[in-house]
């Protein structure tokens, strides 16, 4: 269904792809948090990244995509390394419990870092972007205020650290993607 909507080129395709991304990312975060309760989070990330690396290399080579420039490849590789560490920290935080609060805090920092980078590199964002950021801050405060009892402080710290790591990763992927999105993600896995 999503492919049919995408082929049609309508806004329904954007909604379908957005929902598919939310379901797959949310599902992978949930299962990653559960998996980190049973085994080392870094091992979980390593196995997952290894499988996707093989798939991405196949796509790059069989599609004959042009190789990225060195700076783009390096930005993707650095983003992949620090993003993998951020993901391991995130899974560890989820394994400590308090998944909702930890995920919300991580999401806020993931959005905040690129916004601050945008302030520095491009100036003030649009009013809607500022309003969204303020709503996110308010939501985090409300969630933290109502459900922070029983949440281990280490989980919150790991959630914040992983959010900063994901935000930096997004900035590095923006730099890396000028040579092509697929190679940017592939260099991250390498």
């Amino acid at each position: 269904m999503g492919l049919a909507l995408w082929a049609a080129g309508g806004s329904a395709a954007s909604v379908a792809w957005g929902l598919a991304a939310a379901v797959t990312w949310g599902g992978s975060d949930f299962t990653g948090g559960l998996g980190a309760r049973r085994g080392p989070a870094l091992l979980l990330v390593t196995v997952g990244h290894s499988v996707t690396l093989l798939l991405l290399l196949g796509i790059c080579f069989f599609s004959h995509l042009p190789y990225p420039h060195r700076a783009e490849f390096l930005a993707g590789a650095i983003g992949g390394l620090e993003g993998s560490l951020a993901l391991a920290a995130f899974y560890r935080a989820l394994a400590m419990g308090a998944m909702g609060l930890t995920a919300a805090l991580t999401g806020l920092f993931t959005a905040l870092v690129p916004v601050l980078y945008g302030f520095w590199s491009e100036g003030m964002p649009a009013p809607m972007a500022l309003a969204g950021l303020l709503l996110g801050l308010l939501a985090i405060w409300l969630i933290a205020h109502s459900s922070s009892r029983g949440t281990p402080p280490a989980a919150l710290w790991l959630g914040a650290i992983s959010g900063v790591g994901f935000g930096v990763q997004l900035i590095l992927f923006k730099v890396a993607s000028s040579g092509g999105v697929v190679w940017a993600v592939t260099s991250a896995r390498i």
Side-chain angles (χ1 to χ4, degrees):
M1 178 180 163
L3 288 175
L5 291 172
W6 178 69
S11 63
S14 298
V15 172
W17 284 111
L19 288 173
V23 168
T24 56
W25 280 21
S28 67
D29 287 346
F30 180 77
T31 55
L34 289 178
R37 287 183 178 179
R38 295 186 176 101
L42 197 53
L43 177 63
L44 186 67
V45 172
T46 301
V47 169
H49 280 27
S50 298
V51 170
T52 57
L53 172 61
L54 293 174
L55 292 171
L56 287 166
L57 284 173
I59 291 169
C60 288
F61 291 125
F62 290 119
S63 298
H64 304 289
L65 297 175
Y67 295 111
H69 292 101
R70 186 178 310 180
E72 295 159 349
F73 184 84
L74 190 58
I78 292 170
L81 175 63
E82 66 87 26
S84 297
L85 295 174
L87 187 60
F90 181 60
Y91 284 168
R92 182 66 196 123
L94 292 177
M96 292 177 174
M99 287 186 174
L101 178 57
T102 302
L105 183 64
T106 301
L108 177 68
F109 276 96
T110 300
L112 185 62
V113 169
V115 167
L116 293 176
Y117 175 77
F119 282 164
W120 176 74
S121 65
E122 299 173 13
M124 189 65 97
M128 287 298 285
L130 278 176
L133 184 63
L134 291 174
L135 281 174
L137 287 170
L138 176 64
I140 294 300
W141 182 81
L142 289 172
I143 291 169
H145 190 283
S146 65
S147 65
S148 63
R149 290 178 217 92
T151 301
L156 298 178
W157 278 107
L158 285 172
I161 290 168
S162 63
V164 169
F166 293 147
V168 170
Q169 183 183 41
L170 291 174
I171 294 166
L172 289 168
F173 281 179
K174 180 182 182 204
V175 172
S177 67
S178 62
V181 174
V182 177
W183 266 115
V185 177
T186 305
S187 65
R189 291 298 186 248
I190 291 172

